[in-house]
Amino acid sequence: MSANAKGVLPSQSLEAIIGRGEIFADPAIIPEQIQPASIDLRLGTRAYRVRASFLTGEGATVSDRLSQFTMHEVDLTPGAVLEKDCVYVVPLMESLDLPEGITAVANAKSSTGRLDLLTRLITDGGLEFDRITSGYTGPLYAEICPRSFSVLVRPGMRLNQIRFRSGQSVLSDDELRDLHASEQLVSGGPAVISEGLGFSVDLKPATGDLVGYRAKPHTGVIDLDRIGEYDPAEYWEEVRTTEGRIILDPGAFYILVSREAVHIPPAYAAEMAPYYAMVGEFRVHYAGFFDPGFGHDAAGGSGSRGVLEVRCHEAPFVLEHGQIVGRLVYERMTAAPDSLYGAGIASNYQGQGLKLSKHFRMG
């Protein structure tokens, strides 16, 4: 990697910044936390139930805000339930000591988003969620608000992840068109390029009429350590249609799937961003990271469709097959990572179609 390279730092560079103490932790970071283009962050030993979500604000610390807004403290050591529709702040095991020129951005992990588990990073002096300026030195915290299901958590669980960037390397639309011409970034639909690569919803499956899932309003607790153990029928209603359209209900949370299969070449990373608000009363609720190699032939992919976490807002809204619902913003890596998504690491969602989080049994 050139010393002046701009872009997202790959796994080998993440190992280097850990070695330099630019991200550090107690207990120490373990190899399993390092992904192709990000580091998983771990919950600490306590949570604070707060009255409301907050941004810290310039000149203030999260500790200051917690002294103002905490309702009670929860010990996570034996396992504790974070209740639906409540807001918690959890100190993370990791802290930062960033040099000038390196910024960071955080995001919920895939399984976190698919459980409608709103998880955002906050920092001392922070003016935005999930965004960390160069030179930041201090602790990291996760704000967690379970929206659909109460969840059982323990210290060390990894709900969100952090990426590091040197400068900015987002591809322009022209650069994205050139990359699509050489790599075919999407299949199963046209490449709609406007401030990123647009993707649409699939409401006409090749077989059957199952197009998605809707979270049930009253369910049991989900233990985040239990993988493949829960019956989907106890937590989700199936969404079926033969008409190529569904009506989204205000306040409801849906798992849908993109019509297009997505490819992320090894030297690039991508981030899912909501589509423009003026297209309807809904949004793809969680932005998400797409690692280098996601859906790519080099990692055994041949295309992976994007799972869409959709929430409707003020009014019922008709969603049509092929409607654009989000976009992928592509960035250059400073170098291709040593391990690609789906090749060198365990990957629950490589080659995916419509799929709930890994906690549910799927037939």
Side-chain angles (χ1 to χ4, degrees), residues 12-219:
Q12 60 270 30
S13 297
L14 299 177
E15 292 170 354
I17 70 170
I18 294 169
R20 294 193 297 268
E22 293 166 12
I23 180 170
F24 57 96
D26 183 18
I29 293 170
I30 57 177
E32 290 79 9
Q33 289 176 251
I34 302 174
Q35 306 300 323
S38 63
I39 297 174
D40 292 345
L41 300 173
R42 299 169 296 176
L43 301 182
T45 58
R46 62 194 187 279
Y48 298 91
R49 167 78 167 91
V50 293
R51 286 183 284 156
S53 171
F54 61 83
L55 282 168
T56 315
E58 190 172 353
T61 67
V62 175
S63 181
D64 294 335
R65 297 297 186 221
L66 289 176
S67 68
Q68 297 171 323
F69 301 128
T70 294
M71 299 171 67
H72 62 265
E73 184 176 337
V74 181
D75 181 8
L76 301 185
T77 305
V81 173
L82 305 185
E83 296 186 13
K84 176 181 171 181
D85 293 329
C86 296
V87 182
Y88 301 85
V89 173
V90 181
L92 299 173
M93 293 179 177
E94 290 74 29
S95 298
L96 295 181
D97 184 12
L98 290 184
E100 292 299 326
I102 298 295
T103 60
V105 58
N107 220 298
K109 290 176 64 64
S110 294
S111 293
T112 307
R114 294 181 203 207
L115 289 175
D116 200 16
L117 187 56
L118 179 62
T119 303
R120 302 186 286 195
L121 190 75
I122 53 176
T123 61
D124 291 344
L127 302 177
E128 294 181 278
F129 292 111
D130 289 332
R131 298 293 187 268
I132 305 169
T133 57
S134 67
Y136 175 77
T137 297
L140 302 175
Y141 301 81
E143 179 200 273
I144 303 170
C145 179
R147 302 295 308 278
S148 290
F149 313 114
S150 296
V151 295
L152 179 64
V153 301
R154 300 177 183 85
M157 284 184 171
R158 311 197 299 253
L159 302 189
N160 59 345
Q161 56 197 161
I162 189 167
R163 271 185 183 170
F164 297 86
R165 292 187 177 108
S166 174
Q168 287 293 327
S169 62
V170 173
L171 270 63
S172 69
D173 285 348
D174 285 342
E175 291 171 325
L176 202 52
R177 291 185 188 97
D178 290 342
L179 184 61
H180 176 64
S182 63
E183 293 276 2
Q184 190 181 5
L185 300 178
V186 295
S187 54
V192 178
I193 295 176
S194 177
E195 297 186 31
L197 180 69
F199 55 87
S200 62
V201 64
D202 184 8
L203 298 178
K204 291 183 178 179
T207 59
D209 60 357
L210 178 65
V211 297
Y213 299 90
R214 170 180 160 153
K216 289 186 172 181
H218 308 291
T219 68

Side-chain angles (χ1 to χ4, degrees), residues 1-10 12-13 102 166 333-336:
M1 181 183 78
S2 165
N4 297 317
K6 304 295 184 185
V8 177
L9 302 189
Q12 60 270 30
S13 297
I102 298 295
S166 174
M333 303 288 296
T334 58

Side-chain angles (χ1 to χ4, degrees), residues 185-269:
L185 300 178
V186 295
S187 54
V192 178
I193 295 176
S194 177
E195 297 186 31
L197 180 69
F199 55 87
S200 62
V201 64
D202 184 8
L203 298 178
K204 291 183 178 179
T207 59
D209 60 357
L210 178 65
V211 297
Y213 299 90
R214 170 180 160 153
K216 289 186 172 181
H218 308 291
T219 68
V221 172
I222 295 175
D223 182 339
L224 297 185
D225 272 341
R226 295 179 62 184
I227 307 302
E229 294 195 22
Y230 291 98
D231 180 359
E234 295 181 6
Y235 295 84
W236 301 92
E237 299 170 358
E238 293 183 343
V239 178
R240 296 179 178 272
T241 182
T242 56
E243 300 176 343
R245 71 172 65 93
I246 59 174
I247 297 177
L248 303 176
D249 290 323
F253 178 75
Y254 297 83
I255 295 292
L256 306 172
V257 69
S258 71
R259 180 177 59 166
E260 301 83 6
V262 176
H263 304 250
I264 311 295
Y268 297 84

